[in-house]
Structure formats: structure tokens, C-alpha cells
Amino acid sequence: MKGGTEMKNLFKKFLIASSVVSVLSVGMSALQAAEPVEGGTLIYLDKQVHTNLYSPLAGTYTNGGILNQITDRLTYQNPQTLEIEPWLAKSWSFNDDKTVYEFKLREGVTFSDGTPLDATIVAKNFDTYGLGNKDLHQPVSEVVNNYDHSEVVDPLTVRFHFKRPSPGFLQATSTINSGIVSPKTLALSFDAMGNATKIIGTGPFYVDSETLGKEIVLKVRKDYNWAPEKSPHQGRAYLDELKYLTVPEDSVRIGALIAGQAQFIRQLQAYDEDRVKKSGNIVYSVGTRGINNSIVFRPDNELVADSKVREALRFATNRPEILKTLYSSNYPLATSIMAHNAFGYSDQSAKLQFDQAKAQALLDEAGFKTGADGIREKNGKKLVLTAYEAIHQPQNKAMLQLVSQQWKRVGVILNVKTFDGTNAVIDNLDPQKTPVMPHMVGRADPDVLKSLFYPKNRDALLQKGGLSDKVVSFVDDKLNKQLEDISAETDPVKRNAELIAATDYILDQAYAIPIFEEPQVYGGSAKVKGIGFESVGRPSFYNSWIEK
């Protein structure tokens, strides 16, 4: 078996360069720290309440922001270089076709309940993530592809076997979706994992208490001594405590930060960035290195089944106007499905131009004619579409409302609905009710495209045989084959070329309209030093400390 890292030199120069820019953008004062001191409580304000904390579904930045403090992973992806480095695994190896991976675990690691980490527990974690658990309703992880089974070689050595090559698995072991949890946590039903106190990890903090929907209190583990190999320090975290409070109102979060009542806030809106800076606090903007913030269509709905209609709506979308109106310089205009510092990036700007006249011509060609009320219709059906806001995306409702105004100029109505919990979740699985849906995914690996579009993963297009039983006929076998091939291609150059081909195809079919490269933007007190972020922007407070 061959050892070493999967990351080749393919994009190394530009990845390092873009990482440096990202770090500089958070403000040099955050990086110039005196000697760290132990103690203190950091108060973290989030706009949303966490949902389920089952690691494979930790994709929201609310969920991931909690799990990143209480769970560790086998490996660590360096956010500057994207190299994979040791963490709970001190070394690893894999065979030529990447169908077998072996990990050697560190000694002395324990869960917060005192249970020692061993190969059997790690094997159980990935058997669950790779295969799911139907009895406990635990779904398969979108980051683990082609999984077959685990093998415990000895107490500190575990081997994983795959049905097909799985070149993305090493990077998958570094993601928040692969956080290692205790046997007690894995034995819970999926629904029970909404209780944060039940999530037992090996991380530097543990959940001490939770007031449902309001507050989660994390306490430091004084016995922690297994940070990533290249961490600035080892041993316990500097902070004694983290308090996560849910504060939906933007103005209240900003006010608390400025008044010194909170030290860190998530989802800082673009219009508040200058206010935070002028108050002497720090704006942190961190790229998510994956699929850009996009509007995605569901072609099973007959109104958007014709690619000419979808293409027309792409031409009708004035993306620069959206950015100028709603966002700051921290939100780059998308020039591809993928972020500029993501694998599979190619400049697709030519396909993303605003051209209202062309939009109208394409809608005419598709047979949608303008009625007396100004709304286009065909065979008695008006071109009226619906989308729910995505509450985890920055100013998403305002963005969709602006898109609605732009589409109305070519005779198309987009009704934008407020996210209302269960109804929105159910409706978003029905292409007849929601033919349009906003999406983005952060992951620094080529498999991110499969995560969003493959029917057995997030199924953004809603294909027959995927997540929804409401789909009548739509399937794109060509795209699905492309996504499967990307997940199994072991040559990094070929894999990247296949990824570019798939993103070209998605745009050629006008399945999606990428709007901007979505960052995670936070506000932080200048007194808090050593803030870190994993490779797609979730904060880590292991190295953080508060200046006295």
C-alpha cells in the first residue's frame, strides 16, 4: 500500500495564494497575539438554532460550528494548503486504486465520557457513515462514496474497503461530516441526536448543558492532548467555556458584539460590516471553496422542463446588480458553478451574461407568450414559479426577491416564500410546488459536486429514484454517470477534467444559475486571539484565548 497525501500539486500555487488572501482579509490584528492565557468564557451568537447533530448531516454552519468544537476527525485538512495532515490517525496508507485505506490511530485518546478511542469504535463510525443504519434511521454520509466494509486489524489499526475506487475518502475523513463519536452516541436514533448533550466526542470541549432553542454551554476538557499534529499548541484549549446563544435578530447580535456582551457572532450581514469595523471589532470573511451560491431548477416541473426556459431565466438574471445592491466585496461574483479556489474551477463567465433581449427571445421560442397581464403563458398555464428562502444563506430572501423583480421584466413571476419549518421542508421535496430552490455546498474536494446533484445525496434537481417520491419522470443519466465517475477517478488531473466537464454540462443544461461565491462572514472582538477556521469556514476555538 502507498502512503502519503492525496493532494497533488495540481492547484497548489493558486490554492496557497487564495488562502493567504483569505487570512489577510480577517484583519492583521487577529493574527498578532501576545502570550496566550488560559481561562474565560467566549459568548458566541448564532442567527439560527442547531438542528440534528448527526455528523453526516452537520452541513449547516450552525450545526458544524458546534460539532467542530466537540468532535475530532481522523485527519485534518490544512486550511492554507489543503494538505491532509495527521489528527486522530497518526498515519495512513492506501492501495493503488484507492479501494483500501488503512489508518494507524494515536494512543491515549478518549471520549469526553472516558471511553478510550480504538479501531473498533472508528470502524463502527464509518460503517454507519458509509452504509447508514436503517433501524436507527441514520442516513448515509454524502462524503463517503462506494463504501463496502471496515476491518479491525488490531486495537489501533483500522482498514476500510470500497466497492469502487474512492479517491475522495482521505479528504472525507477530515470533514465535519466525519466527526468521530462514542458508541453511546452511535447507538442513538437519528431523532435523538437533536439533543446536543447526547453527542459525545473526543474534542477539546464537551456539551455541559443545553436550553433547547436558546443556549448550549460547552466546557473545556482539561485532559485533552491530541490536537492536529501541526497545531500551534497541544494540551487543553485555552478557554474554559463556550456559550452558544441563539439570537435571530441581526441588530441584537451586532449590538451585543459592539457593547462587549458577546465576543463572536455568526452570519454578519454585508450591510453591517463597516459598523463592526468602525467599532474596533474584526470582520472575518472565510471562503467555502465549493459550489457557489446558486439558484437551481427542478426540471420535473413542466414549467421549467424546457432548457430554453431555464436558459432564458439565466439570461434574465442580472447578477452584478444583485451583488451591488445587497452584498459587499467579500462576496465575489460567481464565474463558475465552483468557487475560484475550488477543484474543478474553470471560467464559465461567457455562459453567465445578463441579456434581457435574449431571455425574451428564448421564452418566445419555448412557446411562452406574454398575456394581457404581462405574465407569460403556454397552453393556458402561466409561467409562475415558487421558491422558499434558504435561511442559512446570507440575505437569501432579499436576493430571491430581487431576482423576482428581474424575472418579472421578461414576464415570469417568482413567488418567494418565507421559510416556515416543516411546510417548507416538505414543499422543497415537491417539484410541482417548488420548481426553484437556492443551494450552496462548501467542501474542498471534487466530490462536492456529487454531494449536491447526485440523487442519492442532496438531489438538488429532484430526480426520480432520489429523495422525493413526488418526481414523475425526470432523470439525467448522463449527469449521474459523470458524478459517479468523478467519485471513482484516481488520477487527480483526469478527475479535475471530469469535474470541469460536469460543471460545463450543468450550465449547458441551465440547471443552475451561480450568483456569488459564498463566504462565511463573522464578527469578532479584537480581544479574542487565535481564532481558527477549518478549510470551508467553520470556526475553531481550540487555539483561541481572550486578552485580559
Side-chain angles (χ1 to χ4, degrees), residues 272-287:
D272 282 323
E273 290 177 13
D274 285 343
R275 185 181 171 200
V276 168
K277 291 176 184 176
K278 288 176 181 177
S279 67
N281 294 288
I282 299 169
V283 174
Y284 296 85
S285 177
V286 192

Side-chain angles (χ1 to χ4, degrees), residues 52-59 67 71 125 129 141 175-181 193 199:
N52 194 288
L53 295 178
Y54 175 59
S55 288
L57 294 186
L67 285 170
T71 64
N125 271 258
Y129 301 161
S141 172
T175 70
I176 197 74
N177 307 91
S178 298
I180 303 299
V181 295
M193 292 188 187
I199 309 301

Side-chain angles (χ1 to χ4, degrees), residues 244-542:
Y244 285 75
L245 304 178
T246 303
V247 181
E249 301 84 1
D250 293 339
S251 61
V252 177
R253 294 198 311 282
I254 299 291
L257 177 66
I258 292 174
Q261 298 168 339
Q263 288 76 44
F264 206 79
I265 63 173
R266 193 187 79 79
Q267 207 159 341
L268 175 63
Q269 305 296 357
Y271 49 77
D272 282 323
E273 290 177 13
D274 285 343
R275 185 181 171 200
V276 168
K277 291 176 184 176
K278 288 176 181 177
S279 67
N281 294 288
I282 299 169
V283 174
Y284 296 85
S285 177
V286 192
T288 52
R289 287 193 177 99
I291 296 175
N292 290 324
N293 191 295
S294 303
I295 294 169
V296 178
F297 295 104
R298 274 73 182 278
D300 199 63
N301 185 305
E302 65 176 318
L303 293 175
V304 294
D306 188 337
S307 63
K308 288 181 180 179
V309 173
R310 303 192 299 267
E311 189 178 5
L313 293 175
R314 190 179 70 204
F315 280 119
T317 305
N318 189 337
R319 303 175 312 123
E321 180 185 49
I322 293 170
L323 265 66
K324 183 179 179 181
T325 305
L326 297 175
Y327 299 100
S328 71
S329 60
N330 287 321
Y331 298 77
L333 182 70
T335 55
S336 167
I337 292 288
M338 314 299 295
H340 77 279
N341 55 359
F343 293 99
Y345 172 79
S346 66
D347 190 340
Q348 299 165 323
S349 302
K351 299 177 183 180
L352 297 171
Q353 299 302 307
F354 171 62
D355 189 332
Q356 192 168 296
K358 193 157 188 176
Q360 292 173 324
L362 282 166
L363 289 169
D364 287 340
E365 288 179 32
F368 283 94
K369 305 300 181 182
T370 305
D373 57 1
I375 303 172
R376 289 182 179 267
E377 59 180 89
K378 178 181 179 180
N379 299 329
K381 290 193 175 182
K382 293 184 180 296
L383 193 39
V384 177
L385 310 173
T386 298
Y388 279 94
E389 65 171 323
I391 59 171
H392 295 286
Q393 296 175 18
Q395 296 198 82
N396 185 257
K397 187 173 185 179
M399 186 197 83
L400 290 173
Q401 289 171 335
L402 185 48
V403 169
S404 177
Q405 293 174 26
Q406 294 174 351
W407 289 4
K408 190 175 182 179
R409 294 168 195 155
V410 297
V412 179
I413 299 298
L414 175 64
N415 292 319
V416 180
K417 289 191 172 185
T418 300
F419 184 86
D420 60 355
T422 303
N423 288 334
V425 172
I426 293 172
D427 287 354
N428 275 332
L429 289 173
D430 188 340
Q432 305 313 315
K433 292 182 177 179
T434 53
V436 177
M437 185 173 179
H439 274 291
M440 68 78 62
V441 187
R443 183 185 174 190
D445 187 86
D447 280 348
V448 68
L449 197 69
K450 185 181 180 189
S451 291
L452 182 59
F453 289 104
Y454 196 63
K456 298 298 184 183
N457 293 152
R458 300 195 190 192
D459 194 20
L461 301 175
L462 290 185
Q463 299 191 50
K464 191 171 179 63
L467 297 181
S468 173
D469 60 1
K470 303 292 185 182
V471 179
V472 176
S473 62
F474 174 71
V475 174
D476 191 326
D477 291 325
K478 179 178 178 178
L479 176 60
N480 294 339
K481 177 67 163 53
Q482 287 178 315
L483 298 174
E484 290 168 356
D485 289 347
I486 290 166
S487 75
E489 177 53 66
T490 58
D491 182 293
V493 176
K494 290 181 180 178
R495 192 174 181 216
N496 192 65
E498 290 177 358
L499 185 56
I500 290 172
T503 60
D504 280 337
Y505 177 74
I506 289 168
L507 283 185
D508 288 343
Q509 295 299 308
Y511 285 149
I513 307 170
I515 307 295
F516 60 84
E517 298 190 9
E518 182 170 331
Q520 285 295 301
V521 184
Y522 305 87
S525 167
K527 291 184 177 181
V528 179
K529 312 297 182 181
I531 298 290
F533 299 92
E534 41 94 86
S535 60
V536 294
R538 296 180 185 89
S540 168
F541 299 111
Y542 171 66

Side-chain angles (χ1 to χ4, degrees), residues 32-43:
Q32 296 167 345
E35 193 67 25
V37 295
E38 287 185 3
T41 297
L42 185 145
I43 297 177

